[in-house]
Amino acid sequence: MIEPHQDELFKEPKGSVWPKLLAGISALVITALVFTGYALLRKRHAEDSGSLALSAPVSTTATTKPPRALIIVDEALLHGGKTTIGGIVRNTSAEKLEGLSVELELKHRKDGVTETRLVPLDPAELESQQEGRYSLEVKAQDYSSARLVALKAGPNLLPLPYTTALGQKRPPERLEPKTIIVGRPSGKGSEFLNSPENPARVP
């Protein structure tokens, strides 16, 4: 004869699934929070120590004169604690341009004071429709912004009329994936009382 209470021997104890479910949900929440915080920290670090905001005016000379060059301004590139400011100058006139350099205005991150830098082209002499490149590398922690203010030519550094266009964009920053291991909580409530791996006798 089978006692009525013996039907309960192979039933799973009530509430034994909940600890595992809660542990899984907690692991997903912790993983999402850690990844989100990591991404925000990387973004803030890039903004604080990183990229210079490079603005380019359309022209710094009289608008009545036709432009003699096109300056293609690349986005500032951050690498290894340094920022590279660069771009391309194209001679759009029918004449040869000599002794070319671009003038950049840099703003100090600490006190907001500005300074100007003359960056020579490579090559410094351009035939009609020929291109030359300029590049300046500065410490990212020292400057907060840069601005293109002039294109100059010759030994007397005479300003030339020019137009600007956007160049290469900064490649997106890659976030390194991280593996997060969440330990399984121990305790009687997380295991079955009666299973093939853990047999138990219930009185």
Side-chain angles (χ1 to χ4, degrees):
M1 182 175 181
I2 300 176
E3 297 291 336
H5 70 273
Q6 289 179 344
D7 293 340
E8 304 294 329
L9 289 178
F10 300 100
K11 285 189 177 181
E12 189 177 318
K14 293 182 179 180
S16 61
V17 179
W18 287 104
K20 287 188 175 183
L21 183 60
L22 291 176
I25 294 175
S26 300
L28 291 176
V29 172
I30 292 173
T31 302
L33 290 176
V34 171
F35 182 79
T36 302
Y38 177 71
L40 290 175
L41 287 176
R42 291 292 297 271
K43 182 178 179 181
R44 180 177 295 179
H45 176 73
E47 291 176 351
D48 292 343
S49 65
S51 52
L52 294 177
L54 182 60
S55 57
V58 173
S59 179
T60 56
T61 56
T63 56
T64 55
K65 296 181 180 180
R68 302 182 65 184
L70 170 66
I71 302 181
I72 302 174
V73 182
D74 296 340
E75 285 192 2
L77 180 63
L78 175 66
H79 56 91
K82 294 185 178 180
T83 300
T84 301
I85 306 165
I88 295 173
V89 177
R90 180 184 302 156
N91 181 2
T92 56
S93 70
E95 304 175 359
K96 181 179 180 180
L97 301 180
E98 300 180 350
L100 292 173
S101 60
V102 295
E103 185 175 347
L104 301 176
E105 183 181 80
L106 305 176
K107 179 180 288 188
H108 286 263
R109 188 180 297 274
K110 185 176 181 180
D111 52 15
V113 176
T114 60
E115 66 172 280
T116 57
R117 297 274 190 96
L118 274 178
V119 184
L121 256 64
D122 183 22
E125 298 181 0
L126 299 180
E127 298 288 347
S128 179
Q129 301 305 317
Q130 187 179 2
E131 295 180 349
R133 185 161 189 87
Y134 68 94
S135 180
L136 174 66
E137 188 177 75
V138 297
K139 291 183 178 180
Q141 62 184 9
D142 292 342
Y143 301 96
S144 61
S145 66
R147 187 168 68 95
L148 174 65
V149 294
L151 173 66
K152 297 189 175 181
N156 296 326
L157 299 177
L158 298 177
L160 297 178
Y162 63 90
T163 57
T164 61
L166 295 178
Q168 296 181 358
K169 291 186 175 296
R170 180 171 57 250
E173 187 176 4
R174 297 179 58 185
L175 295 178
E176 299 178 359
K178 289 201 171 185
T179 303
I180 300 174
I181 301 175
V182 179
R184 180 180 177 183
S186 60
K188 295 182 180 180
S190 63
E191 297 180 356
F192 292 107
L193 293 178
N194 189 10
S195 66
E197 293 80 11
N198 187 22
R201 187 172 182 177
V202 179

